Amino acid sequence: MDTPPSTSSTPAAASCRGTDPDRGTDPDSALVSAVADALVSSSRLPTPPPIGALLGPYLPRLTASHHPRVLALAAANPSLASPHALIAYRRLVSPPSCLASLLPLLPVLPYRNLLPLLLDFVPLDPLRRLHRHLLTSLPTSALADAALLAYARLRLPHLAAQLLHSFRRRGGVRPSLQAANAVLSALARCPTTSTQASLDAFRSLIGLRLFPNHYTFNLLVHTHCSKGTLADALSTLSTMQGFGLSPDAVTYNTLLNAHCRKGMLGEARALLARMKKEGITPTRPTYNTLVSAYARLGWIKPATKVVEAMTAFGLEPDQWTYNVLAAGLCQAGKLDEAFRLKDKIERLGIVSPDVVTYNTLVDACFKWQRSSDVQILLEEMRDKGVKASLVTHNIVVKGLCREGRLEEALGRLKMMAEEGLAPDVVTYNTLVDACCKAGNVAKAYVLMDEMMRKGLKMDTFTLNTLLYNLCKEKRYEEAEELLHSPPQRGFVPDEVSYGTMMAAYFKEYNPEPALRLWDEMVERKLTPTIFTYNTLIKGLCRMGRLKEAIDKLNEVMEKGLVPDETTYNIIIHAYCKEGDLENAFQFHNKMVENSFKPDVVTCNTLMNGLCLHGKLDKALKLFKSWVEKGKKVDVVTYNTLIQTLCKAGDVDMALHFFADMEVRGLQPDAFTYNVVVSALSEAERSEEAQNMLHMLTESGKLSKSFSYPLMKSSVEEVETGKDPDVKPDTETGGNAQGDDQENYRKRVNELCIGGQVKEAKAVLDEMMQKGLSVDSSTYITLMEGLIKRQKRQTHAAG
């Protein structure tokens, strides 16, 4: 076996000589024929020698130009018994990305060899040369199947679908149903493909005379459900029946899950009834889907009834069922019931609470201010042998940080190390964020350095958290330094990073650095999202540069981005602020034309603009049409009208709207009470004002403390809350805010005692504008003083 078999004594040699007329005269042709003969002969041996030993004498003379010729000659030889020698030869002498050495193998290799070969080759072929070859040649059935499955597994569904359509058009080759289904599956998994692509693939499948099975139709149903086209998903059932197939449990489970996720529980129950009527036995996933849907909505009783029905049907609930039910109870704030459920299933021995159960309960305890129960749960986990996971520790760290217990949260790092768990990026990001909120940016940098030492790659969340908090503390130089030197710490800024800093500069009425950052972001080829554009457009509007803001809106349209409700609301508010109500309403109409639904913010913005510019009648008409269309209104809507009516002296109409608020289930806030009671007092209706104040006090509608969010906040700043590029500025230093509240309260009380009620009311208004909580006793004292003053003035006039 150390020498190659004689090329003159084998049928393969004769065959090769018959196909190579130049053999014997051309040294290259002779070498190619000899190597091909050796490979063919080796394929017929029970135990072939290693390819290197077999071709040892020839290898020094072989060049890259020989390999495709060797493989083509050997593959064409009818005496070839097995393709393994050819595969071994190609692997030994040819680069994996060489198409020329691959093509001769494609017609002769069976499916089991073709699939792994294509899975290796396709990623190395960025120019898609093999794909073009398949589209123009007529592959074998084995190659057709292998190519379709390879594209599907490599998440290249567009190539798979293109190839399938090509087979249908040209005819002559028919892939298997398994391969065609793989194409449908890949299209269903791809988030960027449309349902039309799946339907086109299905039509090609039918055009190839492949008879679809249950799996085919279940893939179509899944595609429609994942894209939200539930009506089309249901119509697929009729198509299915046209092929003599009936929906199975998987079909109905898919439909049930999709309807439940959209909150369409009535339709889901109808589907379950239809399923049973057609004689299809519900499975555990069927019931689990319904339990999950009810629990997610906080409908615990219906969820429990489903569990009972499940048990009555002979299906024991599993761990997943109980965990979902416990999560629903926790989400609804019913922690005691969740604890009882845990104890019950443990007592009955159905299943044992696992780490997911405990994680759910621990997270809920922090959420519902029952952190004292957390330690009990953690100790119970340890006693019962349920090992805390990294997720458990991250939940505890997050909960402690939310409660301001930063030192305890930092102490969890040591505890995790003792338990053999390594903190991950989530752990450190949570701690970095908490340190920044606590004003300890230096500690945040220490944690970041610790992350680097441990080999953890800091993500943009870490960077953006620091940027946001540095900007919040007005440390803009440090923020800029961090933004422009990210490679040192391993993270790269994104459009959110730039948007965060731009928003901060605009908030400080400093547009030039913001615009410079915008240009820099574009230069770095960071594609702005609609959220980043909203930040820029809003900042320009805040500066009164509305024309530039409109130019940026046009730029959004030119780039193919779709403006959202926030974009339109920003522009509408800017026009209202300038008093250009005509353009404001034109933008409102354009919003509707572009299929965007104006929301309550749009209504409040337009209402506020009309009221500010003395167009109360139009504001009332807008409110009426808005309500008649069944659209949502809120406390800000009513406050805007009530305040304007009171200023116009129409207190009775204001009281009508005040009463209408409660009919609609809207709770008047401190601003509402302040405006109404003050208007009644100034209208010399002191008794009504006194009765209203007394009624509010007795009914408990005045909480111990309350605050009024600025009207400006609700109509101007609300867009920021919708913009994920910029965090809403809700966190303020707790001590500083408390000191401000106390100082204001003292000042109000001092002025009231001194009889300076008007001045005290001005202080109260200032408190409300700053969003500070007002103690109910302070408010009552001031309102009573206002009423008494009005009574004195009335008496003096009499």
Side-chain angles (χ1 to χ4, degrees):
M1 282 299 171
D2 292 337
T3 59
S6 170
T7 58
S8 61
S9 59
T10 63
S15 174
C16 286
R17 279 195 295 272
T19 57
D20 188 358
D22 295 332
R23 184 178 178 181
T25 58
D26 179 4
D28 277 356
S29 297
L31 175 63
V32 167
S33 296
V35 175
D37 287 347
L39 293 173
V40 171
S41 299
S42 170
S43 74
R44 302 172 63 192
L45 297 174
T47 309
I51 196 71
L54 176 70
L55 302 179
Y58 304 119
L59 288 177
R61 291 183 287 152
L62 288 169
T63 64
S65 64
H66 293 131
H67 307 320
R69 295 171 60 192
V70 168
L71 289 166
L73 195 59
N77 195 313
S79 299
L80 183 71
S82 167
H84 294 298
L86 304 188
I87 296 172
Y89 174 75
R90 181 178 186 274
R91 191 178 296 121
L92 177 70
V93 299
S94 179
S97 60
C98 179
L99 179 64
S101 64
L102 175 68
L103 292 179
L105 301 180
L106 298 181
V108 298
L109 291 181
Y111 169 79
R112 66 178 180 276
N113 297 126
L114 279 168
L115 182 58
L117 200 62
L118 294 185
L119 287 172
D120 290 339
F121 181 83
V122 171
L124 303 174
D125 184 27
L127 298 178
R128 306 297 181 216
R129 295 168 299 159
L130 173 62
H131 185 63
R132 291 199 296 272
H133 171 78
L134 293 172
L135 291 173
T136 54
S137 65
L138 199 63
T140 63
S141 295
L143 178 56
D145 281 3
L148 292 175
L149 280 156
Y151 287 148
R153 290 190 188 179
L154 294 169
R155 303 195 176 190
L156 298 168
H158 59 293
L159 297 183
Q162 190 180 15
L163 194 56
L164 188 68
H165 301 326
S166 166
F167 294 156
R168 176 193 177 185
R169 285 194 309 272
R170 291 182 293 157
V173 61
R174 186 168 68 162
S176 67
L177 179 61
Q178 179 191 3
N181 281 344
V183 177
L184 282 173
S185 178
L187 289 168
R189 292 195 311 270
C190 182
T192 58
T193 57
S194 64
T195 52
Q196 188 59 48
S198 294
L199 291 173
D200 290 342
F202 177 75
R203 292 190 185 100
S204 288
L205 180 153
I206 301 301
L208 287 163
R209 303 187 307 283
L210 298 173
F211 195 86
N213 57 12
H214 276 93
Y215 184 61
T216 313
F217 283 105
N218 286 341
L219 284 170
L220 283 177
V221 170
H222 171 75
T223 301
H224 284 303
C225 289
S226 64
K227 304 296 182 184
T229 52
L230 300 188
D232 293 331
L234 289 168
S235 68
T236 304
L237 302 186
S238 302
T239 309
M240 192 175 187
Q241 290 166 348
F243 283 87
L245 297 171
S246 299
D248 58 9
V250 174
T251 319
Y252 276 108
N253 286 347
T254 305
L255 288 166
L256 278 169
N257 186 52
H259 282 82
C260 286
R261 285 190 175 278
K262 280 190 168 286
M264 302 166 68
L265 296 184
E267 291 84 347
R269 285 194 295 269
L271 279 169
L272 181 61
R274 179 177 170 181
M275 182 180 181
K276 291 178 178 177
K277 185 178 178 181
E278 292 180 6
I280 300 168
T281 305
T283 61
R284 185 176 283 107
T286 312
Y287 288 106
N288 280 348
T289 297
L290 290 170
V291 172
S292 175
Y294 283 125
R296 194 164 51 241
L297 292 171
W299 298 358
I300 305 305
K301 283 187 178 179
T304 307
K305 285 183 179 179
V306 174
V307 175
E308 291 170 358
M310 183 178 181
T311 308
F313 201 73
L315 292 171
E316 285 295 333
D318 57 9
Q319 187 74 64
W320 192 88
T321 316
Y322 284 114
N323 282 344
V324 165
L325 195 55
L329 289 165
C330 289
Q331 184 178 327
K334 299 180 179 180
L335 265 66
D336 290 331
E337 290 183 44
F339 277 96
R340 283 197 293 271
L341 176 66
K342 173 187 72 69
D343 296 337
K344 178 183 175 181
I345 61 174
E346 193 171 21
R347 186 173 61 254
L348 295 176
I350 303 170
V351 289
S352 297
D354 61 3
V355 68
V356 176
T357 318
Y358 282 105
N359 287 350
T360 303
L361 292 170
V362 168
D363 187 49
C365 286
F366 278 118
K367 180 181 177 181
W368 297 102
Q369 286 81 48
R370 285 181 53 173
S371 53
S372 57
D373 291 327
V374 169
Q375 194 56 41
I376 298 170
L377 284 168
L378 295 175
E379 289 173 3
E380 185 180 310
M381 284 179 73
R382 187 174 58 251
D383 294 342
K384 292 181 178 177
V386 180
K387 188 176 180 182
S389 65
L390 179 59
V391 174
T392 316
H393 284 283
N394 283 345
I395 289 170
V396 175
V397 168
K398 182 180 178 182
L400 292 171
C401 289
R402 277 182 178 174
E403 294 185 352
R405 297 155 64 182
L406 184 55
E407 290 305 317
E408 290 180 62
L410 291 167
R412 301 294 298 187
L413 293 174
K414 182 180 179 182
M415 192 179 299
M416 291 169 75
E418 291 171 354
E419 294 181 16
L421 291 170
D424 63 359
V425 174
V426 174
T427 321
Y428 279 104
N429 280 347
T430 305
L431 291 168
V432 166
D433 185 49
C435 288
C436 289
K437 284 178 180 176
N440 193 349
V441 178
K443 181 62 179 177
Y445 278 110
V446 171
L447 288 169
M448 289 167 60
D449 292 337
E450 189 177 312
M451 284 178 76
M452 282 199 301
R453 287 197 304 273
K454 291 186 176 181
L456 290 173
K457 184 179 179 181
M458 286 176 284
D459 55 19
T460 53
F461 179 88
T462 322
L463 169 66
N464 294 339
T465 298
L466 276 168
L467 285 175
Y468 170 72
N469 284 283
L470 286 170
C471 289
K472 187 177 172 183
E473 294 182 6
K474 305 186 187 305
R475 295 161 65 175
Y476 297 115
E477 288 185 12
E478 291 178 61
E480 290 256 10
E481 185 181 348
L482 183 64
L483 184 72
H484 292 117
S485 58
Q488 299 174 4
R489 296 186 180 272
F491 43 48
V492 179
D494 60 4
E495 71 279 358
V496 178
S497 317
Y498 281 94
T500 300
M501 289 208 62
M502 286 164 54
Y505 279 127
F506 278 127
K507 195 173 182 181
E508 292 291 319
Y509 291 90
N510 190 4
E512 300 314 318
L515 295 173
R516 173 178 52 78
L517 287 172
W518 173 269
D519 294 336
E520 183 182 313
M521 181 179 68
V522 174
E523 285 173 14
R524 295 187 63 168
K525 301 192 185 310
L526 289 172
T527 306
T529 63
I530 188 59
F531 304 113
T532 325
Y533 267 107
N534 285 347
T535 300
L536 177 63
I537 291 170
K538 181 180 176 183
L540 290 169
C541 288
R542 182 190 283 265
M543 300 297 108
R545 297 161 69 166
L546 182 54
K547 185 179 181 304
E548 292 175 63
I550 298 294
D551 290 340
K552 287 300 174 186
L553 176 61
N554 293 332
E555 187 179 307
V556 168
M557 309 287 279
E558 289 168 6
K559 289 191 174 182
L561 291 172
V562 181
D564 59 10
E565 285 84 352
T566 301
T567 321
Y568 285 107
N569 285 339
I570 291 168
I571 299 292
I572 288 171
H573 176 263
Y575 276 123
C576 287
K577 188 178 178 182
E578 291 193 356
D580 191 351
L581 297 175
E582 183 179 348
N583 269 321
F585 276 92
Q586 282 181 5
F587 253 85
H588 170 270
N589 297 336
K590 188 180 291 187
M591 190 176 186
V592 176
E593 288 170 10
N594 289 336
S595 301
F596 287 109
K597 295 180 180 178
D599 56 14
V600 67
V601 176
T602 320
C603 173
N604 290 344
T605 304
L606 290 169
M607 191 94 61
N608 191 53
L610 290 168
C611 289
L612 283 175
H613 293 90
K615 300 183 184 294
L616 178 57
D617 290 342
K618 289 187 178 180
L620 290 169
K621 286 180 183 178
L622 174 63
F623 176 84
K624 183 180 178 182
S625 67
W626 193 264
V627 171
E628 285 176 351
K629 291 176 184 176
K631 294 187 178 181
K632 180 185 175 184
V633 291
D634 61 9
V635 175
V636 175
T637 320
Y638 277 96
N639 283 349
T640 304
L641 285 174
I642 289 170
Q643 183 185 38
T644 307
L645 286 164
C646 287
K647 283 182 178 178
D650 196 345
V651 181
D652 289 327
M653 181 64 78
L655 289 172
H656 166 75
F657 278 102
F658 182 86
D660 193 47
M661 284 182 75
E662 295 195 343
V663 171
R664 293 185 181 276
L666 295 172
Q667 181 65 44
D669 59 17
F671 181 86
T672 326
Y673 300 139
N674 190 15
V675 168
V676 173
V677 174
S678 298
L680 286 169
S681 301
E682 290 169 9
E684 300 185 7
R685 296 163 66 170
S686 303
E687 189 173 343
E688 289 179 67
Q690 185 73 54
N691 290 338
M692 176 174 283
L693 193 58
H694 179 72
M695 178 188 69
L696 292 171
T697 308
E698 290 295 320
S699 65
K701 289 184 180 180
L702 283 178
S703 60
K704 187 175 181 181
S705 65
F706 52 86
S707 62
Y708 166 66
L710 221 65
M711 183 89 64
K712 180 183 175 186
S713 267
S714 297
V715 255
E716 179 179 4
E717 304 298 335
V718 75
E719 297 94 339
T720 305
K722 287 187 175 184
D723 187 348
D725 288 355
V726 187
K727 295 184 181 180
D729 190 8
T730 55
E731 300 96 352
T732 55
N735 293 335
Q737 188 180 40
D739 292 343
D740 284 346
Q741 289 168 352
E742 186 59 30
N743 291 335
Y744 272 110
R745 282 197 289 268
K746 284 181 179 178
R747 182 66 179 149
V748 169
N749 288 331
E750 288 170 1
L751 289 168
C752 285
I753 292 168
Q756 297 174 283
V757 182
K758 187 176 180 180
E759 291 80 357
K761 185 176 180 298
V763 175
L764 180 72
D765 291 340
E766 187 177 332
M767 281 186 77
M768 289 182 173
Q769 287 186 351
K770 289 189 175 182
L772 298 175
S773 295
V774 181
D775 184 81
S776 58
S777 61
T778 307
Y779 179 80
I780 292 168
T781 301
L782 176 60
M783 290 297 104
E784 286 178 341
L786 189 65
I787 293 165
K788 288 176 182 177
R789 185 193 69 169
Q790 188 60 47
K791 284 181 178 179
R792 286 196 301 271
Q793 290 176 344
T794 305
H795 180 71

